[in-house]
Amino acid sequence: SAVISQKPSRDICQRGTSLTIQCQVDSQVTMMFWYRQQPGQSLTLIATANQGSEATYESGFVIDKFPISRPNLTFSTLTVSNMSPEDSSIYLCSGTGYSNPDTDTQYFGPGTRLTVL
Amino acid sequence: ILNVEQSPQSLHVQEGDSTNFTCSFPSSNFYALHWYRWETAKSPEALFVMTLNGDEKKKGRISATLNTKEGYSYLYIKGSQPEDSATYLCACITGTASKLTFGTGTRLQVTL
């Protein structure tokens, strides 16, 4: 199993500013992901964080708005740039292991609760 | 766009009641179904990963079944306890994308 921590756990930010969320895994994982849950909505995948290369973004999400880094197998960051109130969400990172990313358990961090005023 | 639906949206039961909820997903190109339990301010906790039609899995008082031909999974909780109060999420993987598509969850509240 893997234990995933995130910092910060919550934040209140002003519109137009940026926030960087850190995700740390206690063991090496093959794949890391970033999700968002807007109020009343399902968890939605933002992107797959690739080690040492650009993240792979889902439809509707772009690198300029959500730059992601993954310098090694256990750490990743997500930046929410030029924030607006619509970015108020819970942001979660997750990781999955080496054998089969489809059927392996995907472990999640506790989330970062972001409020943009 | 993959559509994963969960019902009911919320559920309120008494301690000791047994309950169940449903996850519906497209049956074509199905690969795996994941169930999670998510308490407020905590990490979503993985309950089950299911892949085969007819799969049944059990963890304590919680069990799940899978029907890939008709595209649904049931989660059962036997003898609900207040600590079972949480949001239960299902997520589906189809094709070769290795990406989880989540439903909106069923929020369960168990009272004494």
Side-chain angles (χ1 to χ4, degrees):
Chain A
S1 66
V3 177
I4 299 182
S5 58
Q6 286 184 233
K7 287 195 293 189
S9 59
R10 59 176 61 233
D11 208 341
I12 300 173
C13 300
Q14 297 296 320
R15 70 170 66 210
T17 62
S18 297
L19 176 72
T20 295
I21 302 167
Q22 297 180 3
C23 176
Q24 179 74 54
V25 190
D26 70 342
S27 57
Q28 292 185 351
V29 290
T30 311
M31 301 180 79
M32 292 182 75
F33 304 92
W34 286 97
Y35 291 84
R36 175 177 79 176
Q37 187 187 43
Q38 294 179 298
Q41 305 295 314
S42 59
L43 274 172
T44 301
L45 181 63
I46 297 172
T48 303
N50 300 310
Q51 185 204 356
S53 64
E54 190 172 293
T56 304
Y57 290 86
E58 297 302 303
S59 175
F61 297 96
V62 295
I63 187 171
D64 290 346
K65 177 67 177 177
F66 297 102
I68 289 170
S69 77
R70 188 181 174 190
N72 56 53
L73 288 173
T74 62
F75 185 79
S76 178
T77 67
L78 167 75
T79 298
V80 186
S81 302
N82 189 25
M83 289 184 283
S84 67
E86 292 71 37
D87 294 319
S88 298
S89 300
I90 301 173
Y91 292 86
L92 294 99
C93 71
S94 71
T96 190
Y98 274 100
S99 56
N100 186 333
D102 294 334
T103 56
D104 282 353
T105 296
Q106 196 167 126
Y107 297 95
F108 283 83
T112 296
R113 188 178 294 270
L114 172 63
T115 302
V116 184
L117 302 177
Chain B
I1 296 177
L2 184 60
N3 195 26
V4 180
E5 296 182 353
Q6 291 188 247
S7 64
Q9 190 172 8
S10 64
L11 197 53
H12 190 167
V13 302
Q14 300 288 322
E15 183 182 16
D17 288 349
S18 293
T19 187
N20 65 86
F21 12 98
T22 306
C23 173
S24 301
F25 53 87
S27 55
S28 60
N29 297 318
F30 172 84
Y31 200 83
L33 187 88
H34 295 234
W35 279 101
Y36 288 88
R37 178 175 175 277
W38 192 9
E39 290 182 71
T40 303
K42 295 186 178 180
S43 303
E45 173 196 355
L47 292 174
F48 306 113
V49 180
M50 308 174 79
T51 57
L52 299 176
N53 185 47
D55 246 357
E56 291 187 28
K57 298 228 173 173
K58 188 175 180 182
K59 185 176 182 178
R61 294 179 291 100
I62 305 176
S63 60
T65 61
L66 178 67
N67 183 323
T68 61
K69 294 183 179 179
E70 296 182 37
Y72 65 84
S73 176
Y74 293 138
L75 189 81
Y76 301 90
I77 301 178
K78 185 178 178 182
S80 302
Q81 299 296 312
E83 57 265 30
D84 296 328
S85 298
T87 297
Y88 291 82
L89 300 170
C90 69
C92 186
I93 294 181
T94 58
T96 58
S98 297
K99 302 171 191 175
L100 289 173
T101 299
F102 281 86
T104 51
T106 293
R107 187 169 183 169
L108 175 67
Q109 188 172 356
V110 183
T111 53
L112 297 171

